[in-house]
Amino acid sequence: MSGSAADSAQSVQDGGAVVGAHGTDTDAQGADARRGAVDALPTGRLAGIFVRLKLSLLRNGLRQSTARTAVFVISLVFALLVAAGQLLGLILLRGNDGAASVSVLLTGVLALGWAVMPLFFASGDETLDPTRLVMLPLRPRPLVTALLTASLVGIGPLFSLCLVLGAALAVAHGTGAALVAVVAVPLTLLVCVALARAVAAANIRLLTSRKGRDLALLSGLLVAVGLQVVNFGAQRLGQSGGLSALEPATEIVRWLPPAAAIGAIDSASEGSYGVALAQLALTAGALYAVLRYWEHSLTRLMTAPDGSTLAASSGPDRAGSSSGLHRLLPGGRTGTVMQRFLRYVWRDPKTKATWVTGLAIGLIVPLFNALQGTGSIYFATFAAGMLGVQMYNQFGQDTSAFWMVAQTLSTTRDAYDELRARALALLLITLPYSTLVTVVTAAVLADWQALPSALGLSYAVLGAMLGTGAVSSARFAYSIPQDNAYKNVAPGQGAIAWISLFGGMVVGGLLCAPVIALTIWAHLTDAHGQLWLVLPLGAAYGVLMAWVGLRLAAPWTAQRLPEIITAVSKS
């Protein structure tokens, strides 16, 4: 820290640091002196120091590289353009019957975004980490005020202010509503910012741990699912014939802070001043509750030890945490490999993110298409395909630790047992999940007659993906970097990854052609009564494809161990 940042930090320390000039003060005297110095520091001055500190951190961060400055400027320009567009759109919505619904719901979504984003992007703003301040002799209450003031500086608060201001202008009619808006707009912004800070303070130790990094990796999934929900909602809204379809949701959200503050403006516009006062009071009460919770979290952070200062538990529960799962798995090498596979799925951040993404997208695609009335039950095979991809590049998922596994693969039989156990572990999740997605899709579409054929086709796809994935893992292994959360292929291995994944998927699709042809034939010839035959035939065909793929991949794996170790260890 340098420049004015150092000056600001020194100002904070000067306000609380009391070192005995004579070097002979007792601890009690030192504590009393420190408390007196801190109490003597005005809250307004402390807030000013924190604002200058944040501006200094921002300025010094931008000085580090031209690229960082360019990204910041582009982000600022983009945010301002979007904010200006939303502000103009909301103003143009003024006088429309649905203006109140749009304004209230947009404010509710904005507050939800402020509450959720710290869980996924805490590392993006170092000022969100209150543990950096625990050594400063500052009391939680003035610290909350100072942090809240500093939090109002940034692109996010500016963007939110434009949106809230536009929402207020869209529903404010008359002098009374304008007066309410003067209070409601800053109150809404304060609730949003305080909510983000309170969530960050309450979860900061989780967010800076490995589990917190898991959440960051899953942020892309949240965005993808959110976009699908927004797309589905927009289509349903268009089919319903206008903004009137939002009114039931609006009646609920208008009583939830901070959207209640925008609801208060609308109530005042309609002459319901008592209701408006109640909604403002509700939002103010929410702000008070959030600030108290934030203060409580800061107090706990400053006084309670974290996990790094406590002795690790070594009791029987910790030592045998996986014994229950192990008892459910087969014995020998198969059970050991399955347990290792499932542990990677649960503990490794990248593996977990890939699995959760596959599980979510595998359900979203068929279900949303079914809900929109444009889907088919055979879209459910998408779930089997998304999860079957997890069989590809099995050894690359072990990263450089694969050399330890390779020490146990001395024969073709060892390689076959290793690959078979991994496929069985994958089936523990994919088989029931694919079945569930297919049944749910059939229920939404009320197409129970085609359920057996859809299940049979899903099982055939899953078996083909397992077989081709095993072969691809043996022939086209590549490394998955662990030092970059958003890079899944090591430099120079992009072509191998494309061949492994997409080439294998194309071959897997071609291998399923007999089952697909049988299903199409049954529909074209109106032999719907024979569709149930696809279930046993598809399941048997999937087992055959998986077995053939494992048999082909086993000798290649045993023969190519040095090449595989080199490929998956590349950084």
Side-chain angles (χ1 to χ4, degrees), residues 12-228:
V12 176
Q13 293 177 347
D14 290 345
V18 177
V19 180
H22 302 290
T24 58
D25 292 342
T26 64
D27 291 342
Q29 290 172 334
D32 291 341
R34 280 190 292 271
R35 281 195 294 270
V38 172
D39 292 339
L41 186 65
T43 302
R45 181 187 171 195
L46 183 63
I49 291 172
F50 271 79
V51 171
R52 294 199 304 273
L53 181 60
K54 181 163 186 176
L55 292 174
S56 299
L57 287 171
L58 177 62
R59 181 171 59 254
N60 293 338
L62 295 178
R63 288 174 177 172
Q64 292 180 4
S65 67
T66 305
R68 187 167 182 174
T69 304
V71 170
F72 176 81
V73 172
I74 293 173
S75 301
L76 178 61
V77 172
F78 178 77
L80 289 176
L81 290 175
V82 174
Q86 289 184 332
L87 177 62
L88 180 61
L90 288 169
I91 293 176
L92 294 176
L93 197 62
R94 180 182 174 89
N96 189 286
D97 293 338
S101 297
V102 173
S103 300
V104 170
L105 293 178
L106 268 180
T107 307
V109 171
L110 176 68
L112 181 62
W114 274 96
V116 172
M117 285 302 104
L119 297 176
F120 298 101
F121 301 108
S123 59
D125 183 1
E126 58 187 351
T127 65
L128 279 173
D129 188 356
T131 58
R132 298 171 180 264
L133 309 172
V134 295
M135 298 304 294
L136 297 178
L138 300 171
R139 296 186 183 276
R141 184 163 297 178
L143 186 58
V144 165
T145 304
L147 286 174
L148 180 61
T149 305
S151 300
L152 296 174
V153 178
I155 298 176
L158 178 60
F159 176 86
S160 301
L161 178 62
C162 293
L163 193 148
V164 175
L165 183 61
L169 292 174
V171 297
H173 301 283
T175 305
L179 294 176
V180 173
V182 171
V183 179
V185 170
L187 189 60
T188 301
L189 183 62
L190 287 175
V191 171
C192 290
V193 175
L195 185 60
R197 285 291 185 169
V199 170
N203 298 278
I204 191 62
R205 284 176 178 166
L206 168 66
L207 298 177
T208 53
S209 67
R210 178 178 59 82
K211 291 184 180 292
R213 291 191 291 273
D214 292 352
L215 286 174
L217 286 174
L218 299 178
S219 59
L221 173 63
L222 178 70
V223 174
V225 174
L227 290 176
Q228 288 290 336

Side-chain angles (χ1 to χ4, degrees), residues 14 61 127 172 177 219 226 239 261 282 315 327 345 368 407 440 471 480 526:
D14 290 345
T127 65
S219 59
Q239 295 172 1
L282 185 63
R327 284 195 296 267
V345 172
F368 273 45
Q407 306 307 309
V440 170
V471 173
I480 302 177
D526 291 329

